[in-house]
C-alpha cells in the first residue's frame, strides 16, 4: 500500500513540476493572443489608410483591411502556439494546420464558400458600396460586403443580408452602374387626337422638365392601337438613383397632364361597346319560321 501511495505522490509531483515549467509559456501565449487583438485592429486601420492612398476603389480598400486583419490573427495564433508548446517545430505546425484546415473545411464549407465568394466580389467589383442593385426579389443600396454576407438597405429602410455565394452566382441588376438611367412612361390619347401635334407637345414638355437630362435626347414613340386610345411611350433619361427616378416620374406625369389639359387633349377612359340582340329573332339553335318555310319550298 505504501508503494502505491509513493507512486501516486511521485506522479503528482512530476505533474506539478511540469505545470510549473509550462505555466510561464502558457501565460506568455495568452498575453500574445491578447496583444494580437490590438495588433489586428492597428493593422486594420493602417491598411485602411494605405488603401485609401493607393487605390480609388472602395472594394479594394475593404479587401486590404480584411486581409491585414486576418493575417495578423493567423500570425499571432501561430506564434502563441509556438510559445505554449516549445517542442513543436515548424513542420509539425504546418501539418497540424493542414489537417485542421481539412476538418474545418468539411465542418464550415458554407462559411468558407461565402468567404471566398466575398473576396472575389471585392476583387472583381461587379458593384461597389453605395450602388443600388436588384438580386432576386431584393432591391436596395449596398452598404457592406462582409466575410459571409453582402448587406443591402432596402428603399423601405430594411436591412437585408444575402450570402456572398448567392450574390456571386445570381444575376445582379446594378441600377447605378452608369451615369444615367432611362424611364419609359406610357400615355394614351383619344383616337380623334392629332398624333403629330401630340408627339410635339410631349417632346417639348419632357425636354423642359427639370431633372430630365438633355443627353441622351428624350424620345416619343407611338407603340400601338389600344382598346380605347392610341398609346405613346415617353422615353427620357435621369440620374440613376431610385429616389431621383421616382421624383422625376411624378413631375413628368403632372407636367404631361397639365399640358394635355391646356391643349384640350383627352386621356380616354376605357370604352366598352355593348350590342343588344333580340334573342327570339336571332336564335342559333332554332331557325325562324320564315327560314324554315323557305327551306321547305326549296326542297319541293
Amino acid at each position: 500500500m505504501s508503494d502505491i501511495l509513493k507512486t501516486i505522490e511521485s506522479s503528482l509531483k512530476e505533474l506539478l513540476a511540469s505545470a510549473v515549467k509550462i505555466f510561464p509559456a502558457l501565460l506568455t501565449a495568452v498575453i500574445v493572443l491578447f496583444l494580437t487583438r490590438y495588433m489586428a485592429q492597428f493593422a486594420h486601420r493602417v491598411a485602411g489608410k494605405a488603401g485609401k492612398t493607393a487605390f480609388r476603389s472602395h472594394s479594394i480598400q475593404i479587401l486590404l483591411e480584411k486581409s491585414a486583419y486576418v493575417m495578423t490573427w493567423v500570425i499571432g495564433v501561430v506564434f502563441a502556439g509556438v510559445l505554449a508548446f516549445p517542442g513543436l517545430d515548424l513542420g509539425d505546425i504546418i501539418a497540424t494546420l493542414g489537417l485542421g484546415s481539412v476538418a474545418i473545411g468539411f465542418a464550415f464549407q458554407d462559411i468558407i464558400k461565402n468567404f471566398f465568394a466575398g473576396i472575389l466580389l471585392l476583387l472583381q467589383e461587379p458593384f461597389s458600396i453605395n450602388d443600388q442593385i436588384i438580386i432576386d426579389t431584393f432591391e436596395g443600396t449596398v452598404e457592406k460586403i462582409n466575410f459571409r454576407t453582402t448587406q443591402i438597405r432596402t428603399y423601405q429602410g430594411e436591412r437585408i443580408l444575402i450570402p456572398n455565394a448567392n450574390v456571386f452566382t445570381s444575376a445582379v441588376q446594378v441600377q447605378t452602374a452608369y451615369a444615367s438611367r432611362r424611364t419609359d412612361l406610357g400615355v394614351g390619347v383619344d383616337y380623334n387626337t392629332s398624333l403629330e401635334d401630340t408627339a410635339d407637345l410631349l417632346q417639348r414638355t419632357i425636354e423642359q422638365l427639370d431633372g430630365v437630362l438633355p443627353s441622351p435626347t428624350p424620345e416619343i414613340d407611338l407603340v400601338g392601337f389600344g382598346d380605347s386610345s392610341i398609346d405613346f411611350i415617353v422615353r427620357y433619361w435621369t440620374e440613376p438613383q431610385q429616389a431621383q427616378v421616382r421624383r422625376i416620374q411624378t413631375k413628368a406625369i403632372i407636367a404631361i397632364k397639365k399640358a394635355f389639359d391646356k391643349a384640350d387633349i383627352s386621356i380616354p377612359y376605357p370604352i366598352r361597346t355593348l350590342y343588344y340582340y333580340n334573342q327570339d329573332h336571332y336564335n342559333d339553335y332554332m331557325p325562324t319560321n320564315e327560314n324554315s318555310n323557305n327551306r321547305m319550298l326549296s326542297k319541293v
Side-chain angles (χ1 to χ4, degrees):
M1 187 68 180
S2 61
D3 294 337
I4 296 175
L5 292 176
K6 289 180 180 180
T7 303
I8 295 174
E9 183 180 357
S10 61
S11 299
L12 290 175
K13 289 181 179 180
E14 291 177 0
L15 289 174
L16 182 60
S18 300
V20 171
K21 290 180 181 180
I22 201 175
F23 179 76
L26 290 175
L27 181 61
T28 305
V30 170
I31 294 174
V32 168
L33 291 176
F34 182 76
L35 294 176
T36 300
R37 175 186 176 185
Y38 294 97
M39 289 299 297
Q41 294 175 352
F42 177 75
H44 184 274
R45 290 194 298 269
V46 171
K49 293 180 180 179
K52 291 178 180 178
T53 303
F55 302 98
R56 297 180 59 183
S57 172
H58 190 57
S59 297
I60 299 298
Q61 297 170 13
I62 293 175
L63 181 60
L64 287 176
E65 293 174 357
K66 294 181 182 298
S67 299
Y69 186 84
V70 172
M71 289 303 299
T72 304
W73 268 109
V74 170
I75 294 172
V77 170
V78 171
F79 186 57
V82 172
L83 292 176
F85 306 100
L88 291 177
D89 57 16
L90 184 60
D92 294 333
I93 295 175
I94 294 175
T96 302
L97 290 176
L99 293 175
S101 63
V102 173
I104 292 173
F106 280 109
F108 302 99
Q109 55 182 337
D110 288 338
I111 296 177
I112 294 174
K113 178 173 63 175
N114 290 319
F115 172 75
F116 284 107
I119 292 177
L120 290 174
L121 288 174
L122 291 171
L123 287 174
Q124 295 182 357
E125 203 171 8
F127 51 83
S128 303
I129 306 300
N130 294 324
D131 266 337
Q132 293 179 346
I133 64 174
I134 299 176
I135 303 175
D136 294 332
T137 59
F138 306 113
E139 181 176 357
T141 304
V142 179
E143 290 189 326
K144 293 180 181 178
I145 301 177
N146 297 315
F147 287 121
R148 193 183 69 85
T149 60
T150 296
Q151 177 180 315
I152 67 174
R153 177 185 175 89
T154 67
Y155 303 132
Q156 291 77 27
E158 301 168 338
R159 177 182 296 172
I160 304 293
L161 301 176
I162 306 175
N164 289 330
N166 293 355
V167 177
F168 188 74
T169 56
S170 298
V172 180
Q173 181 178 345
V174 185
Q175 296 179 300
T176 53
Y178 303 106
S180 59
R181 180 175 160 194
R182 196 181 76 186
T183 298
D184 295 350
L185 181 60
V187 59
V189 298
D190 188 86
Y191 269 87
N192 297 321
T193 305
S194 172
L195 301 182
E196 292 83 358
D197 294 342
T198 303
D200 292 340
L201 177 61
L202 288 172
Q203 187 78 34
R204 293 194 306 271
T205 302
I206 203 65
E207 286 180 350
Q208 295 171 2
L209 190 64
D210 186 27
V212 173
L213 300 179
S215 179
T217 306
E219 296 179 351
I220 310 299
D221 291 333
L222 275 165
V223 295
F225 297 93
D227 294 336
S228 309
S229 62
I230 295 181
D231 298 326
F232 289 85
I233 288 186
V234 182
R235 309 183 195 275
Y236 61 90
W237 297 79
T238 64
E239 294 179 355
Q241 289 75 18
Q242 180 67 18
Q244 186 73 358
V245 171
R246 176 175 49 81
R247 291 168 186 155
I248 299 305
Q249 179 173 307
T250 299
K251 292 181 179 179
I253 292 173
I254 294 173
I256 290 172
K257 181 62 168 60
K258 287 182 177 179
F260 277 10
D261 290 343
K262 187 176 181 180
D264 198 22
I265 298 175
S266 62
I267 301 175
Y269 294 103
I271 299 173
R272 296 291 183 268
T273 303
L274 302 178
Y275 297 93
Y276 294 93
Y277 293 97
N278 187 336
Q279 297 300 319
D280 294 332
H281 186 69
Y282 297 95
N283 196 314
D284 295 336
Y285 300 99
M286 295 296 293
T288 61
N289 293 333
E290 182 179 353
N291 291 337
S292 298
N293 294 333
N294 291 337
R295 289 178 183 176
M296 291 177 67
L297 289 174
S298 63
K299 289 180 180 180
V300 174

